[in-house]
Amino acid sequence: MNILADASLPHLDTLFQAPCHLVTYTNHAELLSALLHDNNYDVLLCRSTLHVTAELLSNSRLRYVATASSGVDHIDLDYLKTQNIKLFDAKGCNAEAVSDYVLSTLAYLDTHQKLPGKRVGIMGVGEVGSRVNARLHALGFEVFLYDPLKASINPDFISCSLEDFSSCDALCIHANLHNTQPYSTQNFLDTEFLQSLKPNTVMINAARGGMLDEQALLHIKHPITYCTDVYQSEPKINPEIISYATLCTPHIAGHSIEAKSDAVVHISQALHRAFKLRPPAALAYPKLTLDCSDDSWQARALAQYNPIHETLKLKQAYDKNAEFLNLRRAHRHRHNFSQYQI
């Protein structure tokens, strides 16, 4: 198995030992395309920051593309099908980290009297949305679940209507970004949708920036408490959105230490099985001690991760595009909440 992998991914040497042949890259675009063209790689292992296009892969000999991310909107899926290139992703590996992030965001808003009530809508009830739902139920929130696609294939799941969101105090966005009708989510959060919400409704976007029409949000008549981890044209982010947002973080909701490691483990195991090799074992993570004298859920969540720190750095930065990338690279020390012992 000849693998070309993003050098920033963790545990590559441990998870791709002999007989795997591993080469890492740090450059994108033309240099990466040349590497793929000039060498006989079986696998490209990338992150969501790489746009895997027909131009990038042309004349390569790849058999597999693997992305250490849950979303695949950065990959030209149609081209992969025409070239008979199989795709592996890490869907679900960062679900716990993203739901932790949402809990910290709600904790910050509640602590600063910016959460108007306990009626919360969740848009998209997959791996992340289901975990957010479980956490909110445990904390006594009233939750409305919207996922018509899931309802169409799972008779045991009943989706609420979009009209139900008009009575909610907060919305958590966790749907996949796609253009497939009749449930396309591209620019789904448009002027009509935003106008249907109550003034001062909290909206937490930890899905994809392309789901929200950012210009519609900036020109909406009534105020929305917008908290976002994602942006429409990353890494070229709109400074007006940064100014508008109550909380704005650099696309790191799923970037806990365990989530990033588990994603590579998941990909490694899938590739080993595909090549009929013995998969490596899962990694073991030590338990940690949480130092927090306040036993409220808000204090415990914020003791583990507080989104205001990265928000302030992004808001205060002169070059917001550069700061977005710098903060994303620097986000290396956050653990899943479940790693802590109380």
Side-chain angles (χ1 to χ4, degrees), residues 191-230:
T191 299
E192 181 180 1
F193 177 83
L194 295 171
Q195 286 177 340
S196 72
L197 305 179
K198 295 189 303 185
N200 299 311
T201 295
V202 169
M203 181 183 293
I204 302 172
N205 189 357
R208 286 290 188 269
M211 290 188 61
L212 171 74
D213 183 339
E214 291 182 344
Q215 289 304 311
L217 177 66
L218 293 172
H219 294 95
I220 200 73
K221 298 297 184 184
H222 58 266
I224 299 290
T225 302
Y226 187 54
C227 302
T228 189
D229 185 54
V230 291

mmCIF file of all heavy atoms in Angstrom, residues 191-230:
data_model
loop_
_atom_site.group_PDB
_atom_site.id
_atom_site.type_symbol
_atom_site.label_atom_id
_atom_site.label_comp_id
_atom_site.label_asym_id
_atom_site.label_seq_id
_atom_site.Cartn_x
_atom_site.Cartn_y
_atom_site.Cartn_z
ATOM 1 N N THR A 191 -33.018 34.249 3.514
ATOM 2 C CA THR A 191 -33.784 35.353 4.084
ATOM 3 C C THR A 191 -35.127 34.893 4.628
ATOM 4 O O THR A 191 -35.526 35.253 5.747
ATOM 5 C CB THR A 191 -34.005 36.447 3.021
ATOM 6 O OG1 THR A 191 -32.734 36.955 2.597
ATOM 7 C CG2 THR A 191 -34.829 37.588 3.589
ATOM 8 N N GLU A 192 -35.834 34.080 3.847
ATOM 9 C CA GLU A 192 -37.157 33.606 4.277
ATOM 10 C C GLU A 192 -37.065 32.812 5.574
ATOM 11 O O GLU A 192 -37.883 33.000 6.490
ATOM 12 C CB GLU A 192 -37.773 32.744 3.177
ATOM 13 C CG GLU A 192 -39.163 32.223 3.512
ATOM 14 C CD GLU A 192 -39.761 31.362 2.418
ATOM 15 O OE1 GLU A 192 -39.089 31.151 1.385
ATOM 16 O OE2 GLU A 192 -40.899 30.885 2.592
ATOM 17 N N PHE A 193 -36.067 31.946 5.670
ATOM 18 C CA PHE A 193 -35.911 31.153 6.886
ATOM 19 C C PHE A 193 -35.573 32.042 8.075
ATOM 20 O O PHE A 193 -36.168 31.916 9.158
ATOM 21 C CB PHE A 193 -34.817 30.102 6.696
ATOM 22 C CG PHE A 193 -34.550 29.283 7.931
ATOM 23 C CD1 PHE A 193 -35.342 28.191 8.236
ATOM 24 C CD2 PHE A 193 -33.523 29.629 8.799
ATOM 25 C CE1 PHE A 193 -35.113 27.449 9.393
ATOM 26 C CE2 PHE A 193 -33.283 28.893 9.954
ATOM 27 C CZ PHE A 193 -34.083 27.797 10.251
ATOM 28 N N LEU A 194 -34.612 32.938 7.892
ATOM 29 C CA LEU A 194 -34.178 33.797 9.001
ATOM 30 C C LEU A 194 -35.303 34.690 9.490
ATOM 31 O O LEU A 194 -35.433 34.945 10.696
ATOM 32 C CB LEU A 194 -32.973 34.628 8.564
ATOM 33 C CG LEU A 194 -31.701 33.843 8.235
ATOM 34 C CD1 LEU A 194 -30.653 34.753 7.607
ATOM 35 C CD2 LEU A 194 -31.135 33.170 9.477
ATOM 36 N N GLN A 195 -36.139 35.169 8.574
ATOM 37 C CA GLN A 195 -37.256 36.029 8.968
ATOM 38 C C GLN A 195 -38.320 35.278 9.761
ATOM 39 O O GLN A 195 -39.108 35.902 10.481
ATOM 40 C CB GLN A 195 -37.883 36.662 7.726
ATOM 41 C CG GLN A 195 -37.045 37.765 7.112
ATOM 42 C CD GLN A 195 -37.658 38.337 5.846
ATOM 43 O OE1 GLN A 195 -38.493 37.702 5.207
ATOM 44 N NE2 GLN A 195 -37.253 39.545 5.484
ATOM 45 N N SER A 196 -38.316 33.950 9.632
ATOM 46 C CA SER A 196 -39.309 33.156 10.361
ATOM 47 C C SER A 196 -38.944 32.961 11.824
ATOM 48 O O SER A 196 -39.773 32.492 12.618
ATOM 49 C CB SER A 196 -39.471 31.784 9.689
ATOM 50 O OG SER A 196 -38.331 30.962 9.918
ATOM 51 N N LEU A 197 -37.721 33.309 12.206
ATOM 52 C CA LEU A 197 -37.268 33.110 13.580
ATOM 53 C C LEU A 197 -37.653 34.285 14.466
ATOM 54 O O LEU A 197 -37.817 35.414 14.008
ATOM 55 C CB LEU A 197 -35.748 32.929 13.602
ATOM 56 C CG LEU A 197 -35.180 31.815 12.724
ATOM 57 C CD1 LEU A 197 -33.658 31.789 12.838
ATOM 58 C CD2 LEU A 197 -35.768 30.457 13.101
ATOM 59 N N LYS A 198 -37.780 34.004 15.761
ATOM 60 C CA LYS A 198 -38.052 35.067 16.721
ATOM 61 C C LYS A 198 -36.841 36.004 16.819
ATOM 62 O O LYS A 198 -35.693 35.568 16.634
ATOM 63 C CB LYS A 198 -38.307 34.473 18.111
ATOM 64 C CG LYS A 198 -39.535 33.607 18.232
ATOM 65 C CD LYS A 198 -39.815 33.251 19.687
ATOM 66 C CE LYS A 198 -38.638 32.557 20.368
ATOM 67 N NZ LYS A 198 -38.982 32.121 21.740
ATOM 68 N N PRO A 199 -37.035 37.286 17.128
ATOM 69 C CA PRO A 199 -35.899 38.159 17.418
ATOM 70 C C PRO A 199 -35.058 37.586 18.559
ATOM 71 O O PRO A 199 -35.593 37.036 19.518
ATOM 72 C CB PRO A 199 -36.555 39.484 17.818
ATOM 73 C CG PRO A 199 -37.890 39.453 17.150
ATOM 74 C CD PRO A 199 -38.323 38.016 17.169
ATOM 75 N N ASN A 200 -33.736 37.699 18.417
ATOM 76 C CA ASN A 200 -32.755 37.244 19.404
ATOM 77 C C ASN A 200 -32.660 35.722 19.517
ATOM 78 O O ASN A 200 -32.089 35.205 20.491
ATOM 79 C CB ASN A 200 -33.053 37.852 20.785
ATOM 80 C CG ASN A 200 -32.991 39.356 20.770
ATOM 81 O OD1 ASN A 200 -32.025 39.940 20.275
ATOM 82 N ND2 ASN A 200 -34.016 40.002 21.283
ATOM 83 N N THR A 201 -33.202 35.014 18.526
ATOM 84 C CA THR A 201 -32.974 33.572 18.484
ATOM 85 C C THR A 201 -31.485 33.296 18.354
ATOM 86 O O THR A 201 -30.776 33.950 17.599
ATOM 87 C CB THR A 201 -33.709 32.937 17.287
ATOM 88 O OG1 THR A 201 -35.107 33.091 17.468
ATOM 89 C CG2 THR A 201 -33.393 31.455 17.165
ATOM 90 N N VAL A 202 -30.998 32.321 19.094
ATOM 91 C CA VAL A 202 -29.611 31.881 18.991
ATOM 92 C C VAL A 202 -29.501 30.892 17.830
ATOM 93 O O VAL A 202 -30.312 29.975 17.713
ATOM 94 C CB VAL A 202 -29.152 31.212 20.296
ATOM 95 C CG1 VAL A 202 -27.803 30.512 20.107
ATOM 96 C CG2 VAL A 202 -29.075 32.238 21.421
ATOM 97 N N MET A 203 -28.501 31.089 16.964
ATOM 98 C CA MET A 203 -28.215 30.122 15.915
ATOM 99 C C MET A 203 -26.764 29.705 16.018
ATOM 100 O O MET A 203 -25.855 30.537 15.950
ATOM 101 C CB MET A 203 -28.478 30.704 14.521
ATOM 102 C CG MET A 203 -28.211 29.696 13.399
ATOM 103 S SD MET A 203 -28.447 30.420 11.749
ATOM 104 C CE MET A 203 -30.209 30.694 11.778
ATOM 105 N N ILE A 204 -26.526 28.399 16.211
ATOM 106 C CA ILE A 204 -25.168 27.858 16.324
ATOM 107 C C ILE A 204 -24.890 27.033 15.072
ATOM 108 O O ILE A 204 -25.532 26.004 14.848
ATOM 109 C CB ILE A 204 -25.017 26.990 17.585
ATOM 110 C CG1 ILE A 204 -25.352 27.805 18.833
ATOM 111 C CG2 ILE A 204 -23.599 26.424 17.685
ATOM 112 C CD1 ILE A 204 -25.405 26.979 20.111
ATOM 113 N N ASN A 205 -23.955 27.476 14.272
ATOM 114 C CA ASN A 205 -23.616 26.780 13.022
ATOM 115 C C ASN A 205 -22.284 26.061 13.195
ATOM 116 O O ASN A 205 -21.220 26.670 13.135
ATOM 117 C CB ASN A 205 -23.547 27.761 11.854
ATOM 118 C CG ASN A 205 -23.424 27.045 10.512
ATOM 119 O OD1 ASN A 205 -23.330 25.816 10.449
ATOM 120 N ND2 ASN A 205 -23.426 27.813 9.446
ATOM 121 N N ALA A 206 -22.372 24.751 13.402
ATOM 122 C CA ALA A 206 -21.167 23.928 13.498
ATOM 123 C C ALA A 206 -21.186 22.875 12.395
ATOM 124 O O ALA A 206 -20.660 21.779 12.561
ATOM 125 C CB ALA A 206 -21.071 23.265 14.870
ATOM 126 N N ALA A 207 -21.817 23.226 11.261
ATOM 127 C CA ALA A 207 -21.929 22.294 10.136
ATOM 128 C C ALA A 207 -21.000 22.735 9.012
ATOM 129 O O ALA A 207 -19.817 22.402 8.989
ATOM 130 C CB ALA A 207 -23.381 22.219 9.673
ATOM 131 N N ARG A 208 -21.534 23.522 8.058
ATOM 132 C CA ARG A 208 -20.758 24.054 6.939
ATOM 133 C C ARG A 208 -21.238 25.463 6.632
ATOM 134 O O ARG A 208 -22.431 25.761 6.714
ATOM 135 C CB ARG A 208 -20.902 23.173 5.684
ATOM 136 C CG ARG A 208 -20.131 21.859 5.746
ATOM 137 C CD ARG A 208 -18.624 22.090 5.681
ATOM 138 N NE ARG A 208 -17.858 20.861 5.561
ATOM 139 C CZ ARG A 208 -17.386 20.148 6.570
ATOM 140 N NH1 ARG A 208 -17.641 20.544 7.811
ATOM 141 N NH2 ARG A 208 -16.674 19.057 6.354
ATOM 142 N N GLY A 209 -20.303 26.337 6.258
ATOM 143 C CA GLY A 209 -20.640 27.725 5.971
ATOM 144 C C GLY A 209 -21.587 27.871 4.805
ATOM 145 O O GLY A 209 -22.388 28.818 4.756
ATOM 146 N N GLY A 210 -21.528 26.959 3.837
ATOM 147 C CA GLY A 210 -22.363 27.048 2.649
ATOM 148 C C GLY A 210 -23.844 26.864 2.910
ATOM 149 O O GLY A 210 -24.665 27.105 2.020
ATOM 150 N N MET A 211 -24.219 26.458 4.113
ATOM 151 C CA MET A 211 -25.632 26.298 4.429
ATOM 152 C C MET A 211 -26.318 27.631 4.693
ATOM 153 O O MET A 211 -27.533 27.753 4.579
ATOM 154 C CB MET A 211 -25.808 25.380 5.642
ATOM 155 C CG MET A 211 -25.465 23.938 5.372
ATOM 156 S SD MET A 211 -25.902 22.881 6.762
ATOM 157 C CE MET A 211 -27.669 23.133 6.850
ATOM 158 N N LEU A 212 -25.534 28.642 5.064
ATOM 159 C CA LEU A 212 -26.097 29.944 5.425
ATOM 160 C C LEU A 212 -25.800 30.978 4.343
ATOM 161 O O LEU A 212 -24.665 31.106 3.883
ATOM 162 C CB LEU A 212 -25.500 30.424 6.749
ATOM 163 C CG LEU A 212 -25.846 31.867 7.137
ATOM 164 C CD1 LEU A 212 -27.290 31.958 7.612
ATOM 165 C CD2 LEU A 212 -24.902 32.390 8.217
ATOM 166 N N ASP A 213 -26.811 31.729 3.957
ATOM 167 C CA ASP A 213 -26.625 32.902 3.104
ATOM 168 C C ASP A 213 -26.165 34.041 4.014
ATOM 169 O O ASP A 213 -26.977 34.672 4.702
ATOM 170 C CB ASP A 213 -27.942 33.251 2.405
ATOM 171 C CG ASP A 213 -27.799 34.420 1.445
ATOM 172 O OD1 ASP A 213 -26.844 35.207 1.586
ATOM 173 O OD2 ASP A 213 -28.652 34.559 0.551
ATOM 174 N N GLU A 214 -24.864 34.268 4.043
ATOM 175 C CA GLU A 214 -24.311 35.243 4.986
ATOM 176 C C GLU A 214 -24.830 36.652 4.726
ATOM 177 O O GLU A 214 -25.042 37.430 5.673
ATOM 178 C CB GLU A 214 -22.783 35.204 4.931
ATOM 179 C CG GLU A 214 -22.198 33.918 5.487
ATOM 180 C CD GLU A 214 -20.678 33.892 5.491
ATOM 181 O OE1 GLU A 214 -20.054 34.730 4.800
ATOM 182 O OE2 GLU A 214 -20.117 33.026 6.189
ATOM 183 N N GLN A 215 -25.032 37.027 3.473
ATOM 184 C CA GLN A 215 -25.558 38.356 3.178
ATOM 185 C C GLN A 215 -26.983 38.514 3.702
ATOM 186 O O GLN A 215 -27.371 39.588 4.174
ATOM 187 C CB GLN A 215 -25.504 38.620 1.668
ATOM 188 C CG GLN A 215 -24.098 38.830 1.131
ATOM 189 C CD GLN A 215 -23.364 39.953 1.843
ATOM 190 O OE1 GLN A 215 -23.891 41.052 2.007
ATOM 191 N NE2 GLN A 215 -22.137 39.666 2.275
ATOM 192 N N ALA A 216 -27.757 37.444 3.622
ATOM 193 C CA ALA A 216 -29.116 37.489 4.177
ATOM 194 C C ALA A 216 -29.076 37.733 5.680
ATOM 195 O O ALA A 216 -29.872 38.527 6.212
ATOM 196 C CB ALA A 216 -29.847 36.187 3.864
ATOM 197 N N LEU A 217 -28.147 37.083 6.363
ATOM 198 C CA LEU A 217 -28.023 37.277 7.814
ATOM 199 C C LEU A 217 -27.642 38.712 8.143
ATOM 200 O O LEU A 217 -28.197 39.320 9.062
ATOM 201 C CB LEU A 217 -26.976 36.315 8.383
ATOM 202 C CG LEU A 217 -26.699 36.451 9.881
ATOM 203 C CD1 LEU A 217 -27.926 36.061 10.694
ATOM 204 C CD2 LEU A 217 -25.502 35.595 10.289
ATOM 205 N N LEU A 218 -26.719 39.276 7.376
ATOM 206 C CA LEU A 218 -26.245 40.637 7.652
ATOM 207 C C LEU A 218 -27.326 41.692 7.418
ATOM 208 O O LEU A 218 -27.268 42.778 8.003
ATOM 209 C CB LEU A 218 -25.023 40.948 6.785
ATOM 210 C CG LEU A 218 -23.754 40.145 7.109
ATOM 211 C CD1 LEU A 218 -22.682 40.396 6.056
ATOM 212 C CD2 LEU A 218 -23.230 40.503 8.498
ATOM 213 N N HIS A 219 -28.303 41.356 6.580
ATOM 214 C CA HIS A 219 -29.328 42.351 6.232
ATOM 215 C C HIS A 219 -30.704 42.011 6.803
ATOM 216 O O HIS A 219 -31.685 42.673 6.464
ATOM 217 C CB HIS A 219 -29.419 42.479 4.708
ATOM 218 C CG HIS A 219 -28.185 43.060 4.089
ATOM 219 N ND1 HIS A 219 -27.173 42.279 3.570
ATOM 220 C CD2 HIS A 219 -27.778 44.346 3.945
ATOM 221 C CE1 HIS A 219 -26.206 43.057 3.111
ATOM 222 N NE2 HIS A 219 -26.549 44.315 3.326
ATOM 223 N N ILE A 220 -30.763 41.021 7.682
ATOM 224 C CA ILE A 220 -32.047 40.667 8.277
ATOM 225 C C ILE A 220 -32.516 41.810 9.190
ATOM 226 O O ILE A 220 -31.698 42.499 9.818
ATOM 227 C CB ILE A 220 -31.929 39.334 9.067
ATOM 228 C CG1 ILE A 220 -33.304 38.701 9.282
ATOM 229 C CG2 ILE A 220 -31.225 39.535 10.395
ATOM 230 C CD1 ILE A 220 -33.870 38.110 8.032
ATOM 231 N N LYS A 221 -33.831 42.017 9.252
ATOM 232 C CA LYS A 221 -34.373 43.173 9.980
ATOM 233 C C LYS A 221 -34.263 43.018 11.490
ATOM 234 O O LYS A 221 -34.025 43.977 12.213
ATOM 235 C CB LYS A 221 -35.844 43.383 9.592
ATOM 236 C CG LYS A 221 -36.059 43.707 8.124
ATOM 237 C CD LYS A 221 -35.410 45.019 7.732
ATOM 238 C CE LYS A 221 -35.727 45.356 6.280
ATOM 239 N NZ LYS A 221 -35.023 46.592 5.856
ATOM 240 N N HIS A 222 -34.467 41.786 11.999
ATOM 241 C CA HIS A 222 -34.440 41.615 13.450
ATOM 242 C C HIS A 222 -33.150 40.893 13.868
ATOM 243 O O HIS A 222 -32.548 40.174 13.073
ATOM 244 C CB HIS A 222 -35.672 40.851 13.943
ATOM 245 C CG HIS A 222 -35.834 39.496 13.338
ATOM 246 N ND1 HIS A 222 -36.594 39.256 12.227
ATOM 247 C CD2 HIS A 222 -35.333 38.284 13.699
ATOM 248 C CE1 HIS A 222 -36.561 37.975 11.922
ATOM 249 N NE2 HIS A 222 -35.799 37.360 12.802
ATOM 250 N N PRO A 223 -32.721 41.091 15.113
ATOM 251 C CA PRO A 223 -31.425 40.547 15.546
ATOM 252 C C PRO A 223 -31.436 39.039 15.719
ATOM 253 O O PRO A 223 -32.415 38.458 16.206
ATOM 254 C CB PRO A 223 -31.174 41.255 16.877
ATOM 255 C CG PRO A 223 -32.536 41.602 17.384
ATOM 256 C CD PRO A 223 -33.362 41.895 16.175
ATOM 257 N N ILE A 224 -30.339 38.402 15.322
ATOM 258 C CA ILE A 224 -30.087 36.987 15.545
ATOM 259 C C ILE A 224 -28.783 36.873 16.334
ATOM 260 O O ILE A 224 -27.792 37.532 16.009
ATOM 261 C CB ILE A 224 -29.932 36.218 14.214
ATOM 262 C CG1 ILE A 224 -31.205 36.314 13.370
ATOM 263 C CG2 ILE A 224 -29.553 34.754 14.461
ATOM 264 C CD1 ILE A 224 -32.382 35.568 13.905
ATOM 265 N N THR A 225 -28.764 36.066 17.377
ATOM 266 C CA THR A 225 -27.524 35.807 18.115
ATOM 267 C C THR A 225 -26.795 34.686 17.395
ATOM 268 O O THR A 225 -27.075 33.503 17.611
ATOM 269 C CB THR A 225 -27.814 35.424 19.572
ATOM 270 O OG1 THR A 225 -28.563 36.475 20.196
ATOM 271 C CG2 THR A 225 -26.515 35.216 20.350
ATOM 272 N N TYR A 226 -25.875 35.075 16.505
ATOM 273 C CA TYR A 226 -25.227 34.103 15.617
ATOM 274 C C TYR A 226 -23.896 33.658 16.201
ATOM 275 O O TYR A 226 -23.032 34.477 16.530
ATOM 276 C CB TYR A 226 -25.012 34.715 14.238
ATOM 277 C CG TYR A 226 -24.502 33.731 13.199
ATOM 278 C CD1 TYR A 226 -25.178 32.539 12.957
ATOM 279 C CD2 TYR A 226 -23.351 33.997 12.464
ATOM 280 C CE1 TYR A 226 -24.721 31.636 12.010
ATOM 281 C CE2 TYR A 226 -22.890 33.108 11.499
ATOM 282 C CZ TYR A 226 -23.585 31.922 11.284
ATOM 283 O OH TYR A 226 -23.123 31.031 10.345
ATOM 284 N N CYS A 227 -23.730 32.355 16.331
ATOM 285 C CA CYS A 227 -22.487 31.760 16.814
ATOM 286 C C CYS A 227 -22.029 30.760 15.758
ATOM 287 O O CYS A 227 -22.777 29.827 15.435
ATOM 288 C CB CYS A 227 -22.700 31.053 18.151
ATOM 289 S SG CYS A 227 -23.350 32.140 19.449
ATOM 290 N N THR A 228 -20.826 30.933 15.235
ATOM 291 C CA THR A 228 -20.433 30.087 14.120
ATOM 292 C C THR A 228 -18.994 29.609 14.227
ATOM 293 O O THR A 228 -18.125 30.296 14.756
ATOM 294 C CB THR A 228 -20.628 30.823 12.782
ATOM 295 O OG1 THR A 228 -20.434 29.908 11.709
ATOM 296 C CG2 THR A 228 -19.654 32.007 12.638
ATOM 297 N N ASP A 229 -18.802 28.418 13.696
ATOM 298 C CA ASP A 229 -17.465 27.841 13.575
ATOM 299 C C ASP A 229 -17.073 27.701 12.100
ATOM 300 O O ASP A 229 -15.953 27.309 11.806
ATOM 301 C CB ASP A 229 -17.450 26.455 14.251
ATOM 302 C CG ASP A 229 -16.071 25.821 14.278
ATOM 303 O OD1 ASP A 229 -15.126 26.469 14.773
ATOM 304 O OD2 ASP A 229 -15.928 24.673 13.806
ATOM 305 N N VAL A 230 -18.012 28.025 11.200
ATOM 306 C CA VAL A 230 -17.800 27.793 9.769
ATOM 307 C C VAL A 230 -18.234 29.009 8.972
ATOM 308 O O VAL A 230 -19.085 29.794 9.418
ATOM 309 C CB VAL A 230 -18.570 26.541 9.296
ATOM 310 C CG1 VAL A 230 -17.964 25.278 9.887
ATOM 311 C CG2 VAL A 230 -20.044 26.642 9.674
#
